[in-house]
Amino acid sequence: MPPTRQKPIVAIDGPAGSGKSTVAKLVARAAGLQFVSSGAFYRAVALLAVRGGIIATDEVALVGLADSLHLRFTTDADGTVRAWLDEDDVTDALRDPSVEQMASKIAIIPDMRAHLVRKLREYGRDGGLVMEGRDIQTVVFPDAEVKVYLTASDEERARRRWEELRAGGEAVSFASVLAEVKTRDARDSGRDAAPLRAAPDAVCINTDGRAITQVVDAVLALFPA
Ligand code: CDP
């Protein structure tokens, strides 16, 4: 562990529905570390763009939004993490399907990413966190003590996302969710700027048919002694 870090950094990446946010939250709770969803930052810029009528190709405006982004988090008594832009609770708005599609469209812009990477690294200055996303083990914290890449089949990942949307009251078809997951995967893996991939030294875990607790235990077993 670098001398500046008292506690480890755990970096978890993977495609949509691979289970990374559920696993990351449980690992953070078990190890007494802070949980950070990097996707919330990309979604927050996307939300501001959608609300402001900014299109996905307006790089100057999007870079400006990322530079001035001030996203903060609070935790409810039951452990629910809430995201805020000023006094606006945007937790639910960030999960909107239109916002997540916009997030993956704007995520191809290198200068926009650079601002978010800078903000995300500030969280890790002293270590002690679990961060999940697409480029955490490759770009944001390539020197993380624990680096994990989660995968699962397309159908399994779409099923998880479909159930999450239905639980939230969204009437969507499985076929449309599967198509959206595949579109977002193609964009995230195919882009030039920080494409989604496993770092050479990451541990890859396929979560198909594995209980969440098994995956969490597998990640905890990777912690330095
Ligand atoms: O939870 P889910 O995997 O569905 O999405 P997310 O992690 O909230 O990320 C939403 C979108 O933001 C992704 O599809 C990526 O395009 C982008 N993103 C990124 O490019 N880099 C990150 N570190 C995190 C998210």
Side-chain angles (χ1 to χ4, degrees):
M1 210 173 321
T4 48
R5 278 188 210 152
Q6 303 288 316
K7 289 183 172 183
I9 289 181
V10 180
I12 303 181
D13 288 323
S18 56
K20 60 193 185 311
S21 77
T22 309
V23 169
K25 277 180 199 155
L26 291 170
V27 168
R29 193 182 304 164
L33 305 176
Q34 190 189 357
F35 162 76
V36 182
S37 155
S38 66
F41 289 73
Y42 291 82
R43 287 169 184 263
V45 174
L47 177 65
L48 290 170
V50 169
R51 286 183 175 173
I54 294 168
I55 55 170
T57 49
D58 188 345
E59 296 200 8
V60 172
L62 292 163
V63 170
L65 286 181
D67 185 18
S68 59
L69 184 72
H70 187 70
L71 182 66
R72 58 187 182 89
F73 301 96
T74 56
T75 307
D76 291 350
D78 68 356
T80 307
V81 176
R82 301 202 160 277
W84 300 80
L85 287 171
D86 296 319
E87 296 315 305
D88 191 4
D89 179 353
V90 293
T91 315
D92 293 336
L94 294 186
R95 302 303 303 169
D96 192 276
S98 65
V99 170
E100 73 187 15
Q101 285 297 332
M102 182 66 163
S104 80
K105 284 183 193 158
I106 65 175
I108 65 169
I109 303 170
D111 291 349
M112 200 277 307
R113 300 192 67 87
H115 286 300
L116 298 190
V117 168
R118 173 172 51 80
K119 288 174 200 282
L120 293 169
R121 282 187 182 145
E122 280 164 20
Y123 278 90
R125 242 192 333 243
D126 304 320
L129 84 163
V130 182
M131 189 178 283
E132 51 96 359
R134 300 291 188 289
D135 62 344
I136 311 306
Q137 25 100 64
T138 51
V139 175
V140 181
F141 295 120
D143 64 345
E145 284 73 24
V146 178
K147 297 169 66 165
V148 175
Y149 186 83
L150 294 184
T151 54
S153 67
D154 293 355
E155 282 68 23
E156 174 65 19
R157 295 186 297 106
R159 189 187 58 74
R160 291 174 187 163
R161 189 80 187 99
W162 184 52
E163 283 172 1
E164 184 192 333
L165 287 168
R166 285 204 310 170
E170 298 260 352
V172 283
S173 73
F174 176 77
S176 71
V177 174
L178 178 62
E180 284 190 0
V181 160
K182 286 185 176 175
T183 308
R184 208 143 59 90
D185 284 354
R187 252 191 237 124
D188 290 344
S189 305
R191 68 188 178 211
D192 292 334
L196 170 65
R197 62 177 173 78
D201 55 346
V203 173
C204 295
I205 303 176
N206 187 324
T207 66
D208 270 339
R210 296 184 82 176
I212 287 291
T213 49
Q214 277 180 296
V215 181
V216 170
D217 287 347
V219 176
L220 290 171
L222 300 172
F223 274 56

